[in-house]
């Protein structure tokens, strides 16, 4: 497995890590940089498949519902599957009528439950609930 950190290693926020195994890929987070003055596609990292046209990208797994970890989902094709904590997804859906229109509502995909493993292509994923200021992180 190889990992490529697109953003977030030298700054807080804007996190995006691409993992690849045997030509199959997933993203871990697709965050909006904290320094961004607006949410525009120009902040997207150079990752093939965000337009939904590269089947080697299996999806995007979001760590928690803070914009610096999921904000750029606003510019991803609805064809790209998104993983998120089951309760976090419900919170975002319930809040969607009360937040700015540029805040994304994640596509369907995987709904995590802490310690319940699942497979995404060649990746075996086990989420763990952590203490953080975002619910269901
Ligand atoms: Zn956070």
């Amino acid at each position: 497995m190889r990992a490529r950190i697109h953003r977030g290693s030298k700054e807080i926020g804007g996190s995006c890590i691409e993992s690849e195994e045997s030509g199959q890929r997933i993203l871990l987070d697709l965050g909006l940089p904290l320094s961004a003055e607006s949410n525009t596609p120009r902040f997207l990292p150079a990752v093939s498949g965000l337009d939904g046209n590269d089947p080697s990208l299996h999806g995007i797994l979001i760590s928690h519902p803070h914009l610096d970890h999921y904000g750029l989902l606003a510019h991803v094709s609805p064809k790209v599957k998104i993983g998120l904590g089951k309760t976090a997804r419900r919170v975002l859906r319930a809040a969607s009528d009360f937040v700015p229109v540029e805040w994304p509502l994640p596509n369907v995909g995987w709904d995590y439950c802490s310690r319940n493993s699942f497979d995404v292509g060649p990746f075996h994923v086990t989420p763990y609930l952590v203490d953080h200021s975002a619910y269901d992180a």
Side-chain angles (χ1 to χ4, degrees):
M1 183 176 86
R2 299 185 317 160
R4 180 178 182 185
I5 301 172
H6 288 279
R7 192 181 302 120
S9 66
K10 296 180 178 168
E11 63 184 297
I12 296 172
S15 302
C16 182
I17 300 168
E18 184 176 13
S19 290
E20 182 267 338
E21 171 63 40
S22 303
Q24 306 300 298
R25 300 172 297 122
I26 56 173
L27 285 186
L28 306 174
D29 286 340
L30 189 60
L32 180 68
L34 291 176
S35 59
E37 65 286 345
S38 61
N39 192 348
T40 67
R42 73 184 177 96
F43 294 109
L44 283 173
V47 174
S48 178
L50 296 178
D51 60 0
N53 292 322
D54 184 343
S56 72
L57 180 65
H58 287 267
I60 304 171
L61 305 179
I62 301 299
S63 61
H64 65 285
H66 275 160
L67 283 178
D68 61 326
H69 291 265
Y70 83 99
L72 291 174
L73 292 180
H75 312 294
V76 170
S77 165
K79 294 190 289 187
V80 177
K81 290 182 173 182
I82 307 298
L84 187 66
K86 181 179 180 180
T87 305
R89 186 184 300 277
R90 287 181 41 223
V91 168
L92 290 181
R93 193 169 291 131
S96 64
D97 289 338
F98 306 99
V99 297
V101 66
E102 66 271 17
W103 287 30
L105 193 57
N107 304 334
V108 297
W110 304 270
D111 290 343
Y112 320 148
C113 291
S114 186
R115 300 177 186 269
N116 289 347
S117 299
F118 57 97
D119 292 322
V120 180
F123 301 94
H124 188 68
V125 180
T126 305
Y128 290 90
L129 190 64
V130 298
D131 185 19
H132 189 60
S133 57
Y135 193 78
D136 200 21

